Amino acid sequence: LLPLSAEEAKLREIMETLQKQCEPLGIQISGGHTQGSAAVLEPVVTVTVIGLCDGKNLSAKNIHPGQDVILTKWIGISGIRQIIAKNRPEILRFYREDVIEKAQGNAQDMSVGEEAFLAAQAGVTGMHDVSEGGIFAALWDMAEYSGTGLDIDLRHISVKQEIIEICELFNINPYILDSMGCLLMTCENGCDIVNIMKQNGIEAAVIGKITDGNNRIIHNTEEDRYLGLPEQDEIYRFI
């Protein structure tokens, strides 16, 4: 849906952006429909993707106490990309261009396709993507869906130093920042999954365990805390 004032060049720009996102993932855009609407002030894109399932059951019902929790890649990349897009001149007053490039990564960093495939073949019991609301929201959702508790070590959650520095510039909490491209997984032996990921060039770490009961505990160097209900994603402060 486009605003009535939108020009054809805007539609071409949107389609080129979608194509750039699809190409690294091997996704073919098969068609689409566009119309103008007085109900929108900015372009609104709705996408339907068709994929194939190999029949493996990775529902939350298979997540049980005692299993390891594994996280792939680094949190905050998709959120920091949006913040950089809106605030690049201000960020460049404090940091060099190479810091920005390292923080935002590339399009492949925002896809979980490869690790999801590897994890399914390796026998993980559950998966959950990390997106809006950040890693804290994803952990809460995974525990809520499975009816379990959590024991998580914050120090094992990977975040790029460059992302931390830009987050500090805007007083942003990276743990509640959009983190599309990260994947949470559960299994009996997390070290095996981590090794498989690293053998395929994917960063991964065991960040904690699934526990019995409802307590969702986050350990940090200075203090332990209980994970609360998901908060509004930090990215909305910039919209």
Side-chain angles (χ1 to χ4, degrees), residues 15 19 22 27-33 48-50:
M15 291 308 299
Q19 190 63 44
C22 287
I27 297 173
Q28 175 67 46
I29 298 178
S30 62
H33 171 75
T48 299
V49 182
I50 300 174

Side-chain angles (χ1 to χ4, degrees), residues 8 21 31 39 57 63 67 71 75 90 97 107 123 134 139 152 156 166-167 199 206 214-215 218:
E8 185 178 346
Q21 295 291 331
N57 182 5
I63 299 176
Q67 293 176 345
L71 178 69
I75 63 168
E90 183 174 354
E97 187 70 35
L139 285 167
I152 302 296
H156 293 166
I166 295 175
C167 283
Q199 287 167 10
V206 175
N214 295 316
N215 289 337
I218 304 291

Side-chain angles (χ1 to χ4, degrees), residues 79 82-83 86 132-133 172 176-178 231-239:
Q82 297 178 66
I83 292 167
K86 293 180 179 292
E132 185 173 330
I172 292 169
I176 53 176
L177 180 63
D178 193 315
E231 301 179 43
Q232 178 174 279
D233 197 300
E234 293 277 55
I235 198 64
Y236 287 107
R237 292 167 46 190
F238 297 85
I239 296 178

Side-chain angles (χ1 to χ4, degrees), residues 33-52:
H33 171 75
T34 304
Q35 69 182 61
S37 172
V40 298
L41 300 177
E42 296 288 342
V44 177
V45 180
T46 303
V47 178
T48 299
V49 182
I50 300 174
L52 299 176

Side-chain angles (χ1 to χ4, degrees), residues 205-226:
V206 175
I207 63 170
K209 280 191 173 293
I210 299 294
T211 60
D212 202 0
N214 295 316
N215 289 337
R216 291 143 194 188
I217 302 172
I218 304 291
H219 300 284
N220 202 353
T221 303
E222 299 175 355
E223 63 177 357
D224 295 340
R225 53 165 286 192
Y226 288 99

Side-chain angles (χ1 to χ4, degrees), residues 85-212:
K86 293 180 179 292
N87 301 275
R88 182 180 286 267
E90 183 174 354
I91 297 170
L92 284 172
R93 290 172 50 204
F94 299 91
Y95 299 110
R96 301 186 310 271
E97 187 70 35
D98 64 318
V99 172
I100 290 177
E101 294 304 314
K102 288 178 182 178
Q104 66 183 5
N106 55 49
Q108 196 62 36
D109 289 333
M110 294 192 294
S111 168
V112 298
E114 184 178 1
E115 55 258 52
F117 176 80
L118 291 169
Q121 299 302 310
V124 300
T125 54
M127 297 185 198
H128 195 293
D129 69 309
V130 186
S131 53
E132 185 173 330
I135 184 63
F136 282 171
L139 285 167
W140 173 273
D141 288 343
M142 188 175 70
E144 192 72 8
Y145 297 154
S146 60
T148 62
L150 292 169
D151 192 278
I152 302 296
D153 193 328
L154 197 72
R155 295 164 295 186
H156 293 166
I157 295 175
S158 296
V159 54
K160 291 183 177 182
Q161 181 61 34
E162 294 80 8
I163 290 179
I164 292 175
E165 291 175 4
I166 295 175
C167 283
E168 289 178 346
L169 183 62
F170 295 99
N171 194 28
I172 292 169
N173 183 344
Y175 298 98
I176 53 176
L177 180 63
D178 193 315
S179 295
M180 183 172 65
C182 295
L183 184 65
L184 281 171
M185 299 170 285
T186 58
C187 70
E188 302 297 337
N189 192 340
C191 291
D192 291 345
I193 300 298
V194 169
N195 288 336
I196 290 171
M197 295 298 159
K198 291 189 174 182
Q199 287 167 10
N200 287 273
I202 300 169
E203 181 67 27
V206 175
I207 63 170
K209 280 191 173 293
I210 299 294
T211 60
D212 202 0

